[in-house]
Amino acid sequence: MDRTAQLVTRSAERSIAYDPPNMSASLHARAAAVLEGNWTGASTVPSRGLYPHQWSWDSAFIAIGLRHLSPLRAQTELETLLAAQWGDGRIPHIVFNPSVPLDAYFPSPDFWRSSTAGRTAGAPRTVQTSGIVQPPVHALAAWLVHLADPGLSRARGFLTRVYPSLAAWHRYLLHRRDLGGGGLASVVHPWEQGMDNSPAWDLPLSRVTPAPARSFRRADLDHGAAEDRPTDLDYGRYVRLATEYRDGGYADSSGEFAVEDPAFNALLIASEHALARIAGELGATGTARHARAERLTEALVERLWDAERGMFLCRDLRDGRGLTGSLVPERGVSGLVPLLLPGLPREVVQTLVRTATGPHFGLGSETRLPPSYDLLGEAFDPHRYWRGPAWFNTGWLLERGLRTQGELHRADALRESVLELAEATDFAEYVDPYTGEACGATGFSWTAALALDLLHSGTTVTADMELKGGNRR
């Protein structure tokens, strides 16, 4: 039996967490084949061509889907990532595979120089990584992976082993990255937020002098059309920021770019709730973590909510106005992701749903999946990276968020759209939000993984996310 067949075939001895009726066998098998094809032996690459290493938040999403095929492999996915954690607690956004040629991806290990430039911050010496981070989905993923097979998890001591690493990761974000002094974590590079090329970064990036074009080679253009990728000017600014961060020993307080992002912090809050559940599973109390998550939710509303625009916005901390900074007047899908949080005020939830389904995002009417950027925004482009296309991970997050808030009909409709487009596009990296046309790479791992998760979760309420609690205010 080949490996894909082994993944697809159900075990007689151990059932998975869900056993839904009427599952699409074709979609299930094809998604499993994608994840098998992108498996390296210890982790899963996002895609074989464009992204040949291990990416941080990709692996978290991949583990969420893998748990339905192989809980052991899902645990291994997260364990491999956490093995590259730095001494200061950060989880790097890339863990490099030493067998991949340096010119296959830029910035490559020789650019980041993690083991030398990151020595003060505790970078590992035996594995090469980047020096920046990505959104903290990891504790949420670990909890969901545990729930897929609690017996296996307990037998392997999975949560016992990953909990200290996850706790250190959250400490790093809550202390080293509270650059605005208001309790929220900041990103110091657009790549850290995951939505790399969002128009929300245009204003903060405009103050950054780009690196000369001759100083780097863009490997991404070997795999995608230039008109769909970030411009050379933007890429030069990304390189400049990363270079200065590296040359400063990966210290977090002095860079030209510091932004509080709603999705990044919403995922931190969701993962803090998950850490509380993990602590409870290990026999400790999670009360303090739940309380911290509630305080962070209050800070999120206080610092990033814009009632006039009807959603959460990014806060630019380097605009010359001191620690307070100012909100960036761009509507991106990041500002809808806080729907995940059970403690949002009811009026905020109602406004977010109106914004998501209104003319700016068109969910359920104009668009098949939520666009990454405002349909009415001047910078909207349905094909250019994060400036309008729809991504499956943000679709998954919004489906979970709508379900958390009791918007079941809308969640069901979005779930069906995610599944239909995942199958129709051969698990595309992202799609045109209007037409569903595939963009970027196909056979993309998180698209396959999250489609699997929606297949298995069906239309049940997201009790397994343990983010219940209602809107208490």
Side-chain angles (χ1 to χ4, degrees):
M1 183 182 294
D2 65 27
R3 289 293 303 140
T4 300
Q6 289 175 16
L7 286 176
V8 172
T9 301
R10 306 284 182 94
S11 169
E13 291 82 22
R14 179 183 292 124
S15 63
I16 55 178
Y18 302 102
D19 192 13
N22 303 319
M23 181 183 294
S24 167
S26 171
L27 180 57
H28 178 90
R30 289 174 60 198
V34 168
L35 295 175
E36 176 61 22
N38 290 339
W39 176 250
T40 66
S43 63
T44 310
V45 298
S47 71
R48 284 290 181 180
L50 182 55
Y51 305 106
H53 301 286
Q54 183 179 25
W55 261 258
S56 172
W57 78 324
D58 289 73
S59 276
F61 287 125
I62 289 164
I64 289 170
L66 272 177
R67 67 190 175 126
H68 301 297
L69 301 174
S70 169
L72 177 59
R73 183 175 289 190
Q75 292 176 28
T76 302
E77 183 81 37
L78 294 173
E79 290 164 350
T80 300
L81 178 68
L82 292 174
Q85 186 172 26
W86 290 29
D88 64 4
R90 81 182 75 192
I91 297 175
H93 99 294
I94 302 174
V95 180
F96 290 106
N97 183 341
S99 67
V100 173
L102 288 179
D103 62 359
Y105 182 81
F106 179 85
S108 51
D110 57 340
F111 172 88
W112 294 104
R113 305 172 198 163
S114 60
S115 59
T116 54
R119 184 177 298 137
T120 300
R125 297 189 178 185
T126 58
V127 62
Q128 294 296 310
T129 76
S130 65
I132 59 175
V133 302
Q134 275 192 322
V137 198
H138 311 89
L140 177 58
W143 179 240
L144 296 178
V145 167
H146 165 77
L147 291 178
D149 192 333
L152 176 67
S153 175
R154 291 169 186 143
R156 296 188 69 245
F158 171 63
L159 292 182
T160 302
R161 285 182 289 110
V162 300
Y163 180 81
S165 298
L166 295 170
W169 169 221
H170 284 212
R171 280 196 301 274
Y172 168 79
L173 293 174
L174 292 168
H175 297 288
R176 303 286 187 93
R177 288 300 189 90
D178 182 11
L179 303 182
L184 298 182
S186 297
V187 295
V188 299
H189 194 290
W191 290 340
E192 292 198 312
Q193 193 269 353
M195 304 176 194
D196 305 0
N197 197 37
S198 169
W201 313 135
D202 290 355
L203 184 60
L205 278 176
S206 67
R207 298 187 293 269
V208 177
T209 302
R214 64 181 180 277
S215 66
F216 58 90
R217 176 190 172 274
R218 294 185 56 179
D220 64 317
L221 297 182
D222 295 339
H223 302 276
E227 60 269 21
D228 291 348
R229 304 291 298 175
T231 65
D232 285 344
L233 179 62
D234 286 334
Y235 217 90
R237 287 174 168 141
Y238 303 152
V239 172
R240 172 73 69 183
L241 279 176
T243 300
E244 292 179 353
Y245 191 43
R246 177 199 67 200
D247 293 348
Y250 295 110
D252 291 317
S253 59
S254 60
E256 294 180 80
F257 184 98
V259 174
E260 293 173 351
D261 173 78
F264 192 99
N265 281 281
L267 291 169
L268 175 59
I269 295 166
S271 279
E272 191 68 17
H273 279 299
L275 267 187
R277 300 294 178 181
I278 293 172
E281 167 68 21
L282 297 178
T285 176
T287 304
R289 292 200 176 277
H290 280 310
R292 181 181 296 119
E294 291 174 356
R295 290 195 300 273
L296 286 169
T297 301
E298 292 172 356
L300 184 74
V301 174
E302 179 182 347
R303 292 183 66 81
L304 303 186
W305 176 248
D306 188 306
E308 182 179 349
R309 288 183 172 81
M311 65 187 306
F312 291 91
L313 302 178
C314 295
R315 181 172 291 275
D316 179 5
L317 299 177
R318 295 290 187 261
D319 66 349
R321 302 186 188 184
L323 289 177
T324 59
S326 61
L327 294 177
V328 178
E330 298 285 359
R331 292 180 176 92
V333 71
S334 169
L336 301 177
V337 172
L339 279 169
L340 277 173
L341 305 177
L344 286 182
R346 173 47 60 183
E347 61 272 18
V348 170
V349 170
Q350 293 171 340
T351 303
L352 280 175
V353 173
R354 285 196 299 271
T355 300
T357 56
H360 294 287
F361 293 90
L363 188 60
S365 56
E366 293 185 65
T367 58
R368 302 191 66 184
L369 291 182
S372 50
Y373 176 64
D374 184 357
L375 298 172
L376 305 181
E378 291 184 9
F380 175 78
D381 184 329
H383 286 185
R384 191 179 286 276
Y385 210 62
W386 289 109
R387 300 179 81 83
W391 293 69
F392 289 89
N393 67 325
T394 52
W396 181 87
L397 289 168
L398 292 189
E399 193 274 352
R400 302 286 88 176
L402 288 168
R403 204 170 293 285
T404 296
Q405 303 302 338
E407 295 284 340
L408 303 185
H409 293 301
R410 290 190 171 100
D412 290 347
L414 180 52
R415 171 182 177 271
E416 290 306 310
S417 291
V418 170
L419 294 176
E420 288 172 8
L421 288 177
E423 187 163 28
T425 62
D426 192 23
F427 306 100
E429 184 179 358
Y430 52 101
V431 298
D432 182 309
Y434 289 118
T435 67
E437 176 189 350
C439 302
T442 55
F444 202 72
S445 289
W446 78 24
T447 303
L450 296 176
L452 273 173
D453 189 62
L454 291 180
L455 267 178
H456 282 269
S457 60
T459 57
T460 57
V461 179
T462 55
D464 65 343
M465 295 188 76
E466 297 290 358
L467 295 179
K468 285 183 170 182
N471 297 292
R472 294 183 292 276
R473 288 183 277 168

